[in-house]
């Protein structure tokens, strides 16, 4: 099913309901009204969209789909809707004859959509009741390794994961946001051995994360030339798992420092988590994991060491795969801790699906994780309705071990300065009247963070980035496509218009839309209908993003919405002496709903809509 113009507005919902209602009255199958309506409504959300016609928005239904569920002929389908529903103005076959296009009355459609926006405001676009289709989804994202500064590599998982959580929640699902910190394992042995050799308390007090990151890089370089350093890191890791008090005290100190600093950055990015977890919570449950897999006959043990491996037959290729679960010295591994974490999450939260937002280079690990979970708990659902692993393109050339990173705080500071310079430029479009320096800096910071998020989510998450050296890379952030400034400027301009006391207009959701519909459509006269059609599509696009586990569709939606707002704004002035009061109220209502929809869409990406830019 295809909704030519929107699944989320009141007009679209009512049109679907009317079609379902009329079909049910003549339906030859035993399908109940509510079941049929739900099928029509939800299938509608997950298909390719087409543009509306110039005269009428339309709902396009796959005729075979309707014939199958109603047991009606194509002729019966056409006659049912034509006879019963006055909101459906016409019906026409698709280009290839596969679809039936139900053309909605444009005035009633616009009226219902705008009324729905006014009624629901901040909730507009969000699904109210999914019923049996509602899922509880746990999303594991961001997950930095502690004692390392937050860099641009962490940004991708953080903003993609946050936007996906927003989409799932808006689509009516329950969401648990988890930050699973890399706070255990070999890398921490490397850090502690490095701190023994290169650590400095004064530097730690001055800038803890910067000093710990420097120590980690130096330790990795040293290990390439000094085998004893590698051995020492392994020894410390083993002491940690054995509960050595001295090393656990250092570990806890560095962990607390890291979380405190990370929370400051998450606050700047506008990202929140329901739960902070860590690998350290699960290393002591490795034996339970290994015992469970041994019961399934999937374990191989070494005769000469404590090495433990699991094996399974790949469901797709049929090939045997081996996965190491325990190292030769008896310490746990990432995969073992992840298995224990997944089992505990299933028990604790009662989730229907797990989703990990990770770099593409980790996909192999999560394929092994899912297959082993299916062996351990074959009756459980681990990825119902979403991708178990939502991978994203890596930043090529970036390496924390070699120190090839650009720190997120430096990127934000640099972009904030650039935004501030633009605001203070003599030819600026920005509103700075009555604005002190502190407020200007805050606006610049909001724009900088908005720009980082908006540009990262502009395209398919699978696409990689190329890492560039230092200053060149800083400059590239300013020049990246998908600039958020015009989007924020559009919202701020609508705020200025709607909050102008000179207009002396009030919001009237019941004002007639007749004044915004032309009997002789032109490229300009159809703009209000096109804008309302785009407004109505928000819920549909949200479900499209959920279906694909991609948030770039919201970015594309915003770009189209802003373009239509701009064109309509230029051609349909709200205040004009030649207009009647009713005409001005209709235009005021249109732009109010456009602003609300733009704000709601930005919030889905984790971007606050600005009232002043």
């Amino acid at each position: 099913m295809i909704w030519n113009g929107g699944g989320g507005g009141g007009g679209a919902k009512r049109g679907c309901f009317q079609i379902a209602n009329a079909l049910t009255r003549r339906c030859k199958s035993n399908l109940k009204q509510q079941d049929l309506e739900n099928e029509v409504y939800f299938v509608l959300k997950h298909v390719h969209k087409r543009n509306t016609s110039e005269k009428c928005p339309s709902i396009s239904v796959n005729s075979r789909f309707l014939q199958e569920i109603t047991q009606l002929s194509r002729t019966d389908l056409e006659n049912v809707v034509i006879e019963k529903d006055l909101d459906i103005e016409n019906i026409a076959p698709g280009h290839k004859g596969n679809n039936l296009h139900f053309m909605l009355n444009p005035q009633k459609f616009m009226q219902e959509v705008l009324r729905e926006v006014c009624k629901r405001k901040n909730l507009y676009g969000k699904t109210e009741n999914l019923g049996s289709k509602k899922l509880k989804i746990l999303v594991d994202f961001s997950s930095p390794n502690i004692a390392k500064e937050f860099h641009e590599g962490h940004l991708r998982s953080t903003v993609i994961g946050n936007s996906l959580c927003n989409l799932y929640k808006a689509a009516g699902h329950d969401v648990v946001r988890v930050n699973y910190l890399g706070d255990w394992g070999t890398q921490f042995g490397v850090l502690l051995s490095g701190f023994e050799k290169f650590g400095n308390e004064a530097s730690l007090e001055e800038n803890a994360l910067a000093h710990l990151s420097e120590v980690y890089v130096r330790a990795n370089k040293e290990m390439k030339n000094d085998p004893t350093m590698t051995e020492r890191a392994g020894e410390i890791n083993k002491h940690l798992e054995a509960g050595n008090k001295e090393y656990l005290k250092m570990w806890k100190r560095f962990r607390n420092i890291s979380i405190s600093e990370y929370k400051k950055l998450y606050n700047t990015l506008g990202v929140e988590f329901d739960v902070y977890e860590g690998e350290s919570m699960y290393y002591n449950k490795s034996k339970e994991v290994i015992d469970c897999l041994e019961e399934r006959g999937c374990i191989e043990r070494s005769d000469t060491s404590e090495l433990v491996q699991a094996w399974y037959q790949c469901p797709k290729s049929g090939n045997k795969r081996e996965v190491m679960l325990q190292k030769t010295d008896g310490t746990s591994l990432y995969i073992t801790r992840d298995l224990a974490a997944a089992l505990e999450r299933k028990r604790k939260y009662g989730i229907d699906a797990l989703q990990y937002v990770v770099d593409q280079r980790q996909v192999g690990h999560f394929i092994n994780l899912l297959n082993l979970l299916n062996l351990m708990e074959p009756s459980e659902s681990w990825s119902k309705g979403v991708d178990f692993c939502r991978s994203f393109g890596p930043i090529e050339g970036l390496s924390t071990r070699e120190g090839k990173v650009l720190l997120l705080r430096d990127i934000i500071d640099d972009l904030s300065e650039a935004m501030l310079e633009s605001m203070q430029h003599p030819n600026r479009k920005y509103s700075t009247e009555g604005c002190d320096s502190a407020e200007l800096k805050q606006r610049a910071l909001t724009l900088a963070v908005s720009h980082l998020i908006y540009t990262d989510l502009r395209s398919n998450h699978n696409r990689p980035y190329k890492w560039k050296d230092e200053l060149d890379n800083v400059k590239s952030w300013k020049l990246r496509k998908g600039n958020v400034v015009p989007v924020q400027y559009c919202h701020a301009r609508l705020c200025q218009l709607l909050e102008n006391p000179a207009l002396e207009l009030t919001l009237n959701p019941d004002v007639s839309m007749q004044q915004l519909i032309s009997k002789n459509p032109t490229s300009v006269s159809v703009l209000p209908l096109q804008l309302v059609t785009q407004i109505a599509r928000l819920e549909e696009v949200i479900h499209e993003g959920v279906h694909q586990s991609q948030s770039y569709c919201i970015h594309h939606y915003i770009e189209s919405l802003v373009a239509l707002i701009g064109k309509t704004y230029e051609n349909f002035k709200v205040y004009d002496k030649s207009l009647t009061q009713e005409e001005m109220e209709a235009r005021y209502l249109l732009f109010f709903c456009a602003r609300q929809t733009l704000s709601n869409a930005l919030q889905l990406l984790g971007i606050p809509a600005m009232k002043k830019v």
Side-chain angles (χ1 to χ4, degrees):
M1 179 173 294
I2 302 167
W3 162 233
N4 285 2
K13 289 181 179 178
R14 192 167 76 170
C16 289
F17 175 79
Q18 289 180 344
I19 292 172
N21 187 274
L23 289 173
T24 305
R25 288 195 296 268
R26 294 278 293 274
C27 186
K28 296 179 181 179
S29 72
N30 295 322
L31 209 58
K32 294 180 181 178
Q33 160 69 36
Q34 189 62 50
D35 293 337
L36 177 58
E37 183 187 342
N38 285 342
E39 285 300 315
V40 171
Y41 187 74
F42 286 106
V43 171
L44 172 151
K45 300 274 191 302
H46 301 92
V47 290
H48 178 66
K49 315 301 182 299
R50 297 180 181 178
N51 295 325
T52 184
S53 72
E54 286 191 350
K55 293 182 179 180
C56 293
S58 63
I59 298 174
S60 297
V61 187
N62 184 287
S63 58
R64 290 183 182 178
F65 164 74
L66 286 184
Q67 285 175 276
E68 181 180 334
I69 63 174
T70 62
Q71 303 297 304
L72 294 173
S73 69
R74 186 182 173 101
T75 303
D76 286 337
L77 292 176
E78 295 180 17
N79 290 335
V80 163
V81 178
I82 294 284
E83 287 174 2
K84 301 291 183 181
D85 294 290
L86 299 179
D87 279 6
I88 308 296
E89 288 206 331
N90 194 10
I91 187 167
H95 179 63
K96 294 183 179 179
N98 295 326
N99 293 335
L100 294 174
H101 300 305
F102 300 100
M103 316 304 285
L104 300 175
N105 178 292
Q107 184 178 342
K108 292 181 180 179
F109 166 75
M110 292 176 73
Q111 199 85 50
E112 288 299 314
V113 171
L114 299 185
R115 221 176 251 151
E116 182 83 0
V117 179
C118 291
K119 177 183 175 183
R120 303 198 66 208
K121 294 185 173 66
N122 292 336
L123 296 177
Y124 177 73
K126 297 180 180 179
T127 300
E128 293 178 271
N129 183 14
L130 276 177
S132 62
K133 296 178 184 289
K134 186 174 185 176
L135 302 174
K136 190 168 190 179
I137 306 168
L138 188 148
V139 185
D140 179 323
F141 66 104
S142 193
S143 307
N145 290 331
I146 66 170
K148 292 182 183 178
E149 289 200 90
F150 209 98
H151 55 73
E152 59 183 337
H154 298 124
L155 181 68
R156 296 222 72 195
S157 176
T158 303
V159 301
I160 291 171
N162 187 53
S163 63
L164 288 176
C165 287
N166 293 340
L167 285 178
Y168 299 149
K169 190 172 181 180
H173 302 295
D174 288 334
V175 180
V176 182
R177 302 165 183 252
V178 175
N179 194 348
Y180 185 61
L181 301 170
D183 64 351
W184 205 253
T186 303
Q187 56 99 15
F188 216 86
V190 172
L191 176 67
L192 291 184
S193 64
F195 196 80
E196 285 182 338
K197 192 167 185 178
F198 308 117
N200 182 282
E201 281 295 326
S203 299
L204 191 66
E205 288 293 327
E206 184 179 345
N207 192 334
L209 279 188
H211 181 56
L212 292 175
S213 295
E214 179 189 353
V215 166
Y216 182 76
V217 171
R218 288 187 68 183
N220 271 288
K221 288 180 180 178
E222 189 81 6
M223 287 170 64
K224 291 179 180 179
N225 304 314
D226 185 359
T228 61
M229 190 81 170
T230 305
E231 292 173 10
R232 182 63 182 149
E235 289 174 6
I236 291 176
N237 186 40
K238 191 168 184 178
H239 286 316
L240 269 174
E241 292 216 350
N244 182 285
K245 290 183 179 180
E246 181 184 346
Y247 289 125
L248 281 173
K249 184 179 179 181
M250 290 177 67
W251 165 82
K252 188 173 182 179
R253 182 187 181 194
F254 295 163
R255 187 182 191 274
N256 289 341
I257 288 171
S258 303
I259 293 175
S260 176
E261 291 300 313
Y262 292 156
K263 283 184 175 179
K264 292 176 186 176
L265 266 174
Y266 289 133
N267 185 56
T268 300
L269 294 172
V271 176
E272 294 181 352
F273 296 93
D274 297 310
V275 183
Y276 278 85
E277 290 185 354
E279 293 179 59
S280 59
M281 295 169 60
Y282 302 103
Y283 77 91
N284 57 359
K285 297 185 179 180
S286 298
K287 186 178 183 304
E288 296 174 23
V289 169
I290 292 170
D291 289 347
C292 181
L293 285 167
E294 196 156 30
E295 289 176 8
R296 305 288 189 272
C298 308
I299 290 294
E300 294 177 352
R301 295 180 182 272
S302 170
D303 296 329
T304 58
S305 70
E306 295 186 66
L307 177 71
V308 177
Q309 291 192 122
W311 68 272
Y312 68 89
Q313 200 166 20
C314 179
K316 289 187 177 180
S317 65
N319 297 330
K320 180 181 177 181
R321 288 191 177 180
E322 295 182 345
V323 184
M324 189 186 298
L325 296 181
Q326 184 172 285
K327 292 191 282 188
T328 55
D329 62 2
T331 54
S332 64
L333 284 162
Y334 187 35
I335 184 76
T336 329
R337 298 188 288 270
D338 270 5
L339 285 166
L343 292 168
E344 176 64 16
R345 290 166 174 179
K346 190 76 170 175
R347 182 196 66 78
K348 185 176 181 180
Y349 298 109
I351 53 176
D352 299 296
L354 258 172
Q355 183 170 70
Y356 297 87
V357 183
V358 296
D359 189 303
Q360 279 175 357
R361 291 168 290 193
Q362 293 181 279
V363 168
H365 167 85
F366 287 98
I367 289 174
N368 289 334
L369 178 63
L370 179 58
N371 285 324
L372 289 174
L373 285 171
N374 285 329
L375 280 174
M376 296 173 76
E377 300 287 350
S379 62
E380 295 289 352
S381 169
W382 295 101
S383 56
K384 184 178 179 180
V386 298
D387 294 330
F388 183 75
C389 177
R390 171 63 272 172
S391 63
F392 55 81
I395 300 178
E396 298 170 351
L398 180 145
S399 173
T400 54
R401 293 180 182 180
E402 298 176 13
K404 289 184 176 180
V405 293
L406 195 65
L407 302 180
L408 186 60
R409 58 176 168 81
D410 291 338
I411 296 172
I412 291 175
D413 288 347
D414 182 81
L415 276 174
S416 294
E417 288 180 15
M419 296 296 183
L420 191 59
E421 287 177 13
S422 297
M423 288 178 175
Q424 294 172 330
H425 193 276
N427 296 328
R428 66 182 182 276
K429 291 182 179 179
Y430 309 100
S431 172
T432 57
E433 292 181 13
C435 182
D436 59 26
S437 60
E439 186 181 344
L440 267 182
K441 287 180 180 178
Q442 183 57 48
R443 285 192 206 171
L445 175 61
T446 302
L447 276 175
V449 172
S450 299
H451 181 70
L452 283 178
I453 296 171
Y454 196 68
T455 54
D456 197 285
L457 299 177
R458 77 186 187 280
S459 58
N460 190 302
H461 302 328
N462 296 322
R463 292 184 182 176
Y465 290 101
K466 286 192 179 292
W467 188 86
K468 300 180 181 179
D469 289 329
E470 298 175 4
L471 188 59
D472 286 342
N473 201 32
V474 176
K475 290 178 179 177
S476 74
W477 282 100
K478 299 177 193 175
L479 302 174
R480 287 171 71 182
K481 294 179 181 178
N483 195 330
V484 78
V485 175
V487 177
Q488 293 284 25
Y489 180 72
C490 174
H491 185 270
R493 187 165 64 163
L494 288 177
C495 289
Q496 186 179 27
L497 166 71
L498 296 169
E499 295 168 14
N500 182 359
L503 285 179
E504 296 183 350
L505 292 172
T506 56
L507 189 65
N508 180 8
D510 298 318
V511 67
S512 172
M513 289 293 107
Q514 186 60 47
Q515 307 300 333
L516 293 176
I517 297 173
S518 173
K519 294 180 180 179
N520 301 305
T522 66
S523 59
V524 172
S525 66
V526 297
L527 285 172
L529 177 58
Q530 289 179 348
L531 178 54
V532 174
T533 298
Q534 183 68 1
I535 289 171
R537 291 190 62 238
L538 181 57
E539 186 176 355
E540 169 200 311
V541 177
I542 289 170
H543 282 267
E544 179 187 345
V546 170
H547 181 65
Q548 298 178 10
S549 286
Q550 293 268 7
S551 42
Y552 73 87
C553 56
I554 300 295
H555 182 287
H556 292 180
Y557 172 83
I558 290 171
E559 291 286 299
S560 298
L561 179 64
V562 168
L564 280 168
I565 290 172
K567 291 178 183 176
T568 310
Y569 184 90
E570 293 301 320
N571 290 282
F572 290 81
K573 302 298 181 184
V574 173
Y575 182 72
D576 189 321
K577 291 181 179 179
S578 65
L579 299 176
T580 65
Q581 181 73 11
E582 190 176 43
E583 286 173 324
M584 286 193 287
E585 285 185 357
R587 295 182 182 194
Y588 185 89
L589 174 64
L590 176 63
F591 289 119
F592 173 89
C593 294
R595 180 186 66 171
Q596 184 68 66
T597 306
L598 177 56
S599 175
N600 292 2
L602 284 169
Q603 291 288 348
L604 291 169
L605 299 184
I607 297 172
M610 298 177 68
K611 289 191 172 184
K612 292 183 178 180
V613 176

PDB file of all heavy atoms in Angstrom, residues 176-188:
ATOM      1  N   VAL A 176      14.603   1.000  25.708  1.00  0.00           N
ATOM      2  CA  VAL A 176      15.572   1.070  26.803  1.00  0.00           C
ATOM      3  C   VAL A 176      16.912   1.480  26.180  1.00  0.00           C
ATOM      4  O   VAL A 176      17.444   0.782  25.310  1.00  0.00           O
ATOM      5  CB  VAL A 176      15.731  -0.279  27.531  1.00  0.00           C
ATOM      6  CG1 VAL A 176      16.722  -0.144  28.690  1.00  0.00           C
ATOM      7  CG2 VAL A 176      14.384  -0.794  28.022  1.00  0.00           C
ATOM      8  N   ARG A 177      17.442   2.633  26.619  1.00  0.00           N
ATOM      9  CA  ARG A 177      18.700   3.170  26.063  1.00  0.00           C
ATOM     10  C   ARG A 177      19.852   2.766  26.987  1.00  0.00           C
ATOM     11  O   ARG A 177      19.875   3.150  28.154  1.00  0.00           O
ATOM     12  CB  ARG A 177      18.631   4.694  25.978  1.00  0.00           C
ATOM     13  CG  ARG A 177      17.477   5.220  25.130  1.00  0.00           C
ATOM     14  CD  ARG A 177      17.252   6.703  25.399  1.00  0.00           C
ATOM     15  NE  ARG A 177      16.117   7.222  24.664  1.00  0.00           N
ATOM     16  CZ  ARG A 177      16.219   8.044  23.610  1.00  0.00           C
ATOM     17  NH1 ARG A 177      17.403   8.473  23.215  1.00  0.00           N
ATOM     18  NH2 ARG A 177      15.156   8.465  22.976  1.00  0.00           N
ATOM     19  N   VAL A 178      20.799   2.009  26.453  1.00  0.00           N
ATOM     20  CA  VAL A 178      21.901   1.497  27.265  1.00  0.00           C
ATOM     21  C   VAL A 178      23.249   1.956  26.710  1.00  0.00           C
ATOM     22  O   VAL A 178      23.510   1.853  25.508  1.00  0.00           O
ATOM     23  CB  VAL A 178      21.874  -0.051  27.326  1.00  0.00           C
ATOM     24  CG1 VAL A 178      23.096  -0.581  28.073  1.00  0.00           C
ATOM     25  CG2 VAL A 178      20.596  -0.534  27.994  1.00  0.00           C
ATOM     26  N   ASN A 179      24.077   2.479  27.604  1.00  0.00           N
ATOM     27  CA  ASN A 179      25.457   2.823  27.266  1.00  0.00           C
ATOM     28  C   ASN A 179      26.343   1.755  27.906  1.00  0.00           C
ATOM     29  O   ASN A 179      26.536   1.739  29.120  1.00  0.00           O
ATOM     30  CB  ASN A 179      25.814   4.207  27.804  1.00  0.00           C
ATOM     31  CG  ASN A 179      27.094   4.755  27.201  1.00  0.00           C
ATOM     32  OD1 ASN A 179      27.844   4.040  26.546  1.00  0.00           O
ATOM     33  ND2 ASN A 179      27.354   6.025  27.422  1.00  0.00           N
ATOM     34  N   TYR A 180      26.850   0.859  27.076  1.00  0.00           N
ATOM     35  CA  TYR A 180      27.626  -0.297  27.536  1.00  0.00           C
ATOM     36  C   TYR A 180      29.109   0.048  27.416  1.00  0.00           C
ATOM     37  O   TYR A 180      29.714  -0.074  26.366  1.00  0.00           O
ATOM     38  CB  TYR A 180      27.264  -1.497  26.670  1.00  0.00           C
ATOM     39  CG  TYR A 180      27.875  -2.810  27.069  1.00  0.00           C
ATOM     40  CD1 TYR A 180      27.620  -3.379  28.314  1.00  0.00           C
ATOM     41  CD2 TYR A 180      28.676  -3.517  26.182  1.00  0.00           C
ATOM     42  CE1 TYR A 180      28.156  -4.611  28.654  1.00  0.00           C
ATOM     43  CE2 TYR A 180      29.214  -4.747  26.512  1.00  0.00           C
ATOM     44  CZ  TYR A 180      28.952  -5.292  27.753  1.00  0.00           C
ATOM     45  OH  TYR A 180      29.486  -6.517  28.091  1.00  0.00           O
ATOM     46  N   LEU A 181      29.687   0.494  28.525  1.00  0.00           N
ATOM     47  CA  LEU A 181      31.055   1.015  28.514  1.00  0.00           C
ATOM     48  C   LEU A 181      32.091  -0.095  28.369  1.00  0.00           C
ATOM     49  O   LEU A 181      31.969  -1.166  28.975  1.00  0.00           O
ATOM     50  CB  LEU A 181      31.324   1.789  29.808  1.00  0.00           C
ATOM     51  CG  LEU A 181      30.407   2.980  30.085  1.00  0.00           C
ATOM     52  CD1 LEU A 181      30.627   3.485  31.504  1.00  0.00           C
ATOM     53  CD2 LEU A 181      30.660   4.094  29.078  1.00  0.00           C
ATOM     54  N   GLY A 182      33.123   0.195  27.579  1.00  0.00           N
ATOM     55  CA  GLY A 182      34.259  -0.711  27.474  1.00  0.00           C
ATOM     56  C   GLY A 182      35.185  -0.475  28.656  1.00  0.00           C
ATOM     57  O   GLY A 182      36.140   0.295  28.550  1.00  0.00           O
ATOM     58  N   ASP A 183      34.875  -1.131  29.782  1.00  0.00           N
ATOM     59  CA  ASP A 183      35.619  -0.859  31.016  1.00  0.00           C
ATOM     60  C   ASP A 183      36.337  -2.092  31.557  1.00  0.00           C
ATOM     61  O   ASP A 183      36.628  -2.183  32.742  1.00  0.00           O
ATOM     62  CB  ASP A 183      34.681  -0.295  32.088  1.00  0.00           C
ATOM     63  CG  ASP A 183      33.609  -1.303  32.515  1.00  0.00           C
ATOM     64  OD1 ASP A 183      33.496  -2.369  31.871  1.00  0.00           O
ATOM     65  OD2 ASP A 183      32.896  -1.027  33.493  1.00  0.00           O
ATOM     66  N   TRP A 184      36.604  -3.055  30.660  1.00  0.00           N
ATOM     67  CA  TRP A 184      37.249  -4.285  31.117  1.00  0.00           C
ATOM     68  C   TRP A 184      38.054  -4.895  29.972  1.00  0.00           C
ATOM     69  O   TRP A 184      37.923  -4.464  28.832  1.00  0.00           O
ATOM     70  CB  TRP A 184      36.177  -5.272  31.595  1.00  0.00           C
ATOM     71  CG  TRP A 184      36.674  -6.277  32.598  1.00  0.00           C
ATOM     72  CD1 TRP A 184      36.909  -7.609  32.373  1.00  0.00           C
ATOM     73  CD2 TRP A 184      36.988  -6.051  33.959  1.00  0.00           C
ATOM     74  NE1 TRP A 184      37.350  -8.208  33.521  1.00  0.00           N
ATOM     75  CE2 TRP A 184      37.400  -7.269  34.520  1.00  0.00           C
ATOM     76  CE3 TRP A 184      36.960  -4.913  34.777  1.00  0.00           C
ATOM     77  CZ2 TRP A 184      37.802  -7.405  35.846  1.00  0.00           C
ATOM     78  CZ3 TRP A 184      37.337  -5.040  36.102  1.00  0.00           C
ATOM     79  CH2 TRP A 184      37.755  -6.265  36.628  1.00  0.00           C
ATOM     80  N   GLY A 185      38.882  -5.863  30.296  1.00  0.00           N
ATOM     81  CA  GLY A 185      39.578  -6.595  29.253  1.00  0.00           C
ATOM     82  C   GLY A 185      41.009  -6.140  29.025  1.00  0.00           C
ATOM     83  O   GLY A 185      41.577  -5.342  29.774  1.00  0.00           O
ATOM     84  N   THR A 186      41.600  -6.638  27.940  1.00  0.00           N
ATOM     85  CA  THR A 186      43.012  -6.439  27.626  1.00  0.00           C
ATOM     86  C   THR A 186      43.383  -4.970  27.528  1.00  0.00           C
ATOM     87  O   THR A 186      44.445  -4.550  28.008  1.00  0.00           O
ATOM     88  CB  THR A 186      43.354  -7.141  26.301  1.00  0.00           C
ATOM     89  OG1 THR A 186      43.014  -8.525  26.412  1.00  0.00           O
ATOM     90  CG2 THR A 186      44.841  -7.009  25.989  1.00  0.00           C
ATOM     91  N   GLN A 187      42.510  -4.164  26.932  1.00  0.00           N
ATOM     92  CA  GLN A 187      42.848  -2.746  26.742  1.00  0.00           C
ATOM     93  C   GLN A 187      43.054  -2.030  28.076  1.00  0.00           C
ATOM     94  O   GLN A 187      43.834  -1.095  28.183  1.00  0.00           O
ATOM     95  CB  GLN A 187      41.789  -2.036  25.897  1.00  0.00           C
ATOM     96  CG  GLN A 187      40.372  -2.136  26.425  1.00  0.00           C
ATOM     97  CD  GLN A 187      39.929  -0.908  27.207  1.00  0.00           C
ATOM     98  OE1 GLN A 187      40.556   0.128  27.130  1.00  0.00           O
ATOM     99  NE2 GLN A 187      38.855  -1.056  27.960  1.00  0.00           N
ATOM    100  N   PHE A 188      42.348  -2.527  29.122  1.00  0.00           N
ATOM    101  CA  PHE A 188      42.545  -1.896  30.426  1.00  0.00           C
ATOM    102  C   PHE A 188      43.844  -2.362  31.065  1.00  0.00           C
ATOM    103  O   PHE A 188      44.489  -1.608  31.812  1.00  0.00           O
ATOM    104  CB  PHE A 188      41.355  -2.176  31.350  1.00  0.00           C
ATOM    105  CG  PHE A 188      41.046  -1.019  32.238  1.00  0.00           C
ATOM    106  CD1 PHE A 188      40.227   0.007  31.801  1.00  0.00           C
ATOM    107  CD2 PHE A 188      41.624  -0.909  33.480  1.00  0.00           C
ATOM    108  CE1 PHE A 188      39.960   1.097  32.599  1.00  0.00           C
ATOM    109  CE2 PHE A 188      41.373   0.195  34.293  1.00  0.00           C
ATOM    110  CZ  PHE A 188      40.544   1.201  33.854  1.00  0.00           C
TER     111      PHE A 188
END
